[in-house]
Amino acid sequence: MSTTSLPAPDRSPRLREALLAADFTADGLLDLLGAPAYAALARSETVPALRATRGESPLDTLVRLFLLQRPVPYERARAALPLAECIEDGWVVRTDDEVRATVDVRPYGGPEGQDWYIVSDLGCAVGGAGGIGSREEGVVLGVGGASTTLAGITVRTPVASALDIGSGSGIQTLHASQHATRVTATDLNPRALEFTRLTLALSGAPEADVRLGSLYEPVGTETYDLIVSNPPFVISPGARLTYRDGGMGGDDLCRTLVQQSGDRLNEGGYAHFLANWQHVEGEEWQSRLSSWVPHGCDAWIVQREVQDVTQYAELWLRDSGDHRTDPAEYAARYDAWLDEFEARRTKGVGFGWITLRKSAAAAAGNPSIVVEEWPHAVEQPLGPAVQAHFARQDFLREQDDAALLAGRFTLAAEVVQEQVGLPGAEDPEHVVLRQNRGMRRATKVDAVGAGFAGVCDGTLPAGRILDAIAQLMNEDPVLLRDRTPQAIRLLVEEGFLEPVSPSVG
C-alpha cells in the first residue's frame, strides 16, 4: 500500500480561492485547452494539453502542476498559489527551483454548476495523465466513467441520511452532501477516507462522517434514506488491488452488498450500485440477479455490457499495467484468471446498474423486480427517469385491467413515431415509438397501439379511446378492450405513456 503522506485539509479554503481565481475549473479548462485537447485528456493523452499550456498564466501553471503532473518553476507556482501554505500542508513539494504536486487535483463541474475538485493519487485519475496502470495495492483513483455513471443514475431528492460505501476519492459523498442532511462515507482503505476529506474540503462541501471498514460493518444497524456504492466489483483471482478487487469469490461481494442493503434502507429509500456479475453455465443471469434482491425491496437491474472471460481478463490486466511486465508473468496472471472462471463455470461477465427501493408493497410480498439488458445510449443524468420508473411500477401494481381502461394517459414528452416500410407502399410494415429522453427506448406497436398513443392527451379514458378506434377500424369494441390492456400496461411501464387519472371514466 502507498505510504505517502497526504495533504492536510485544514486550510483548503485558501487553496480553493486561488484555484477559482485562476479559473482552474471545468469550464476554464475547456476554454484554455480547447475541445480536442480536453477530449484527449479523457483518453489519457496529454501531449495536446501540454502544447496548450505553454503560456505563463496561473491557469497554465495549475493545469501543468495538478492535472498533467509536471514540475513547474517555483516563481510561477508562487504567482498561482498561496505557496508557503501549500508546501507546509503537503499539497506540493519543492525541489530546488521547481515545485511538484503530491496529489492529482481535478476540476469537476457539479450538477448545478458548482466548481468542485476531486483529489486522488498522482497518475490515477481515470483518463488522467498516466491512466491507471498502477500496481500499488492502496492506490485511490479519481473520476472515471463508472463514478460519473453512478452519480448520474442516483435519485437526488432531499433526504435526511445518505451512505456512500467504498467512498474512494469522495465523488459520491460530494454529490450526496448537496441533498442529504447527514452523509456517512466508509471505505476499507484508510487512505481513501483521507482523500474523501480532501475532496469535500477543497470543493467547499460540508464534512462527512467517515468510517473505516468493509461493506456495512462500520455502520452496524443504522439505516439510511439513500445508499450508493461504486464497489471494488472486479471478479478476479485474489484481492491484489484494493480499489478494484473485492476479495470475495466470484461476484459474492456485489451480491452481499445488494442483499444486505435491505436491512439498512428506510421506507421509500433508494440504493444504487454499480456491479459485475457472472454468467454461469446452465443458469439464467436474470434469475441469478433477481435472487440478490432483498425482501421488502423493489428492484430495477440493467445490464449495460457483457464480455467473454478472455476480454474481461485482458481489460483488467491492462488496467493494472500487467501487460507491460515480463511476458511470462503476464501469461501466468492471465492463466490464473481463466482458471478462476473455469472453476466457477463462468462463461462471461456482465456489468450494469442495480437500483433498489424499499417499499410497503414489496414488504407485503408484491415486489416489482425488473431485470433487463439495455446496451444502448441513455440520457444522463438518469436519476429522474429512475424515480419515474418506480412511480410507474407503483401505479401499475394498483391497476387491474378495468382500472387501466378507466384511466387517462398522456404521451410522454419527446416521443416520436417512425414508420418503417418499403418506399411507395400503401401501409408501413411496422410503426415504432421512440423516446428522445431518459432511457431512449424504442418499441414496435400495431395500428391500434399507434393510434391510441397518438390521441392520448389526458382528456379521455383509455376505454373510450379504444371504442372510437374500434369503430374506425370496424373491430368489435369488446374484443379490443379485452386484448389491449396488456399493450397499454407495457407502454406505461416503459415510459411512453404517463398516467393522469387512474380510475375515473
Side-chain angles (χ1 to χ4, degrees):
M1 177 179 291
S2 178
T3 56
T4 307
S5 59
L6 295 178
D10 301 345
R11 288 187 285 194
S12 295
R14 284 287 309 277
L15 175 56
R16 175 175 171 79
E17 289 174 8
L19 300 181
L20 292 175
D23 204 18
F24 186 61
T25 63
D27 289 340
L29 283 182
L30 183 58
D31 290 341
L32 174 68
L33 302 180
Y38 191 83
L41 274 181
R43 302 189 300 270
S44 299
E45 297 292 347
T46 60
V47 172
L50 286 168
R51 292 174 61 86
T53 55
R54 289 180 289 193
E56 296 187 0
S57 71
L59 181 55
D60 289 307
T61 300
L62 294 174
V63 172
R64 283 187 166 246
L65 181 65
F66 287 120
L67 206 61
L68 303 178
Q69 285 133 40
R70 297 296 196 276
V72 299
Y74 176 84
E75 291 302 324
R76 284 182 54 184
R78 190 169 67 170
L81 294 167
L83 190 54
E85 287 182 8
C86 287
I87 292 173
E88 183 179 348
D89 292 344
W91 292 95
V92 298
V93 293
R94 179 180 182 180
T95 306
D96 298 326
D97 292 328
E98 290 185 330
V99 172
R100 290 180 177 270
T102 61
V103 291
D104 183 297
V105 176
R106 189 156 301 257
Y108 179 79
E112 297 178 359
Q114 302 100 323
D115 290 316
W116 289 342
Y117 299 95
I118 310 299
V119 189
S120 63
D121 271 313
L122 290 173
C124 294
V126 180
I132 304 175
S134 175
R135 306 175 78 192
E136 286 195 68
E137 180 198 348
V139 72
V140 177
L141 305 187
V143 182
S147 52
T148 55
T149 293
L150 179 59
I153 68 173
T154 300
V155 173
R156 296 295 175 192
T157 52
V159 294
S161 57
L163 171 64
D164 178 11
I165 301 173
S167 62
S169 57
I171 179 174
Q172 310 304 329
T173 303
L174 180 57
H175 275 279
S177 72
Q178 304 303 295
H179 64 104
T181 304
R182 174 175 59 88
V183 183
T184 301
T186 72
D187 205 290
L188 185 63
N189 181 1
R191 187 175 177 82
L193 295 178
E194 292 185 61
F195 273 117
T196 294
R197 289 190 182 96
L198 290 173
T199 288
L200 294 174
L202 195 57
S203 297
E207 292 183 8
D209 176 9
V210 299
R211 305 185 191 181
L212 182 67
S214 177
L215 300 180
Y216 298 101
E217 291 174 358
V219 300
T221 59
E222 294 176 39
T223 59
Y224 299 85
D225 302 311
L226 173 68
I227 298 173
V228 294
S229 183
N230 177 16
F233 52 65
V234 177
I235 300 171
S236 58
R240 189 161 60 112
L241 301 174
T242 302
Y243 74 85
R244 70 170 202 194
D245 301 322
M248 296 185 185
D251 51 20
D252 282 356
L253 181 133
C254 291
R255 176 184 56 79
T256 302
L257 188 63
V258 172
Q259 288 181 334
Q260 294 183 359
S261 64
D263 292 335
R264 274 81 178 185
L265 272 180
N266 294 325
E267 178 72 20
Y270 286 90
H272 302 274
F273 307 102
L274 297 187
N276 275 181
W277 45 78
Q278 296 163 251
H279 283 231
V280 179
E281 292 179 12
E283 184 179 355
E284 292 289 335
W285 69 270
Q286 295 94 335
S287 299
R288 181 183 186 84
L289 289 177
S290 295
S291 72
W292 292 8
V293 179
H295 175 73
C297 289
D298 301 315
W300 185 19
I301 302 171
V302 181
Q303 180 167 271
R304 297 289 287 161
E305 182 182 5
V306 183
Q307 291 183 314
D308 67 47
V309 293
T310 59
Q311 291 173 316
Y312 189 80
E314 291 162 13
L315 168 68
W316 293 108
L317 286 167
R318 284 179 169 81
D319 167 81
S320 55
D322 287 303
H323 61 303
R324 295 193 291 267
T325 62
D326 175 72
E329 182 181 347
Y330 173 77
R333 290 197 183 279
Y334 197 153
D335 207 35
W337 282 67
L338 297 185
D339 283 343
E340 175 78 5
F341 289 132
E342 184 177 338
R344 296 183 177 277
R345 298 184 296 111
T346 302
K347 59 183 179 179
V349 179
F351 167 80
W353 322 320
I354 298 176
T355 297
L356 306 176
R357 186 195 55 168
K358 194 77 167 284
S359 79
N366 187 24
S368 165
I369 300 177
V370 177
V371 184
E372 63 176 321
E373 186 162 19
W374 189 254
H376 311 293
V378 300
E379 180 194 43
Q380 286 278 30
L382 205 62
V386 172
Q387 189 173 12
H389 165 88
F390 286 98
R392 293 193 300 270
Q393 297 300 317
D394 287 344
F395 168 80
L396 290 171
R397 268 190 294 218
E398 298 170 357
Q399 309 300 306
D400 59 16
D401 286 356
L404 207 61
L405 291 174
R408 294 180 173 90
F409 302 90
T410 58
L411 190 66
E414 296 193 40
V415 172
V416 298
Q417 175 179 303
E418 300 173 357
Q419 297 187 154
V420 181
L422 293 174
E426 184 174 346
D427 296 313
E429 293 178 16
H430 57 262
V431 176
V432 174
L433 299 182
R434 187 178 301 278
Q435 302 168 350
N436 287 316
R437 303 296 302 274
M439 292 292 285
R440 294 177 173 165
R441 297 185 188 277
T443 188
K444 289 183 183 179
V445 293
D446 59 14
V448 172
F452 180 86
V455 297
C456 277
D457 61 2
T459 59
L460 291 175
R464 290 181 60 186
I465 294 175
L466 290 178
D467 291 344
I469 292 174
Q471 186 174 7
L472 287 171
M473 300 181 68
N474 294 317
E475 290 204 29
D476 185 329
V478 175
L479 293 177
L480 192 60
R481 277 176 173 254
D482 284 344
R483 68 178 171 87
T484 306
Q486 185 56 39
I488 297 174
R489 196 174 293 275
L490 181 62
L491 289 175
V492 172
E493 181 176 341
E494 294 192 340
F496 291 94
L497 294 179
E498 297 176 349
V500 174
S501 170
S503 59
V504 184

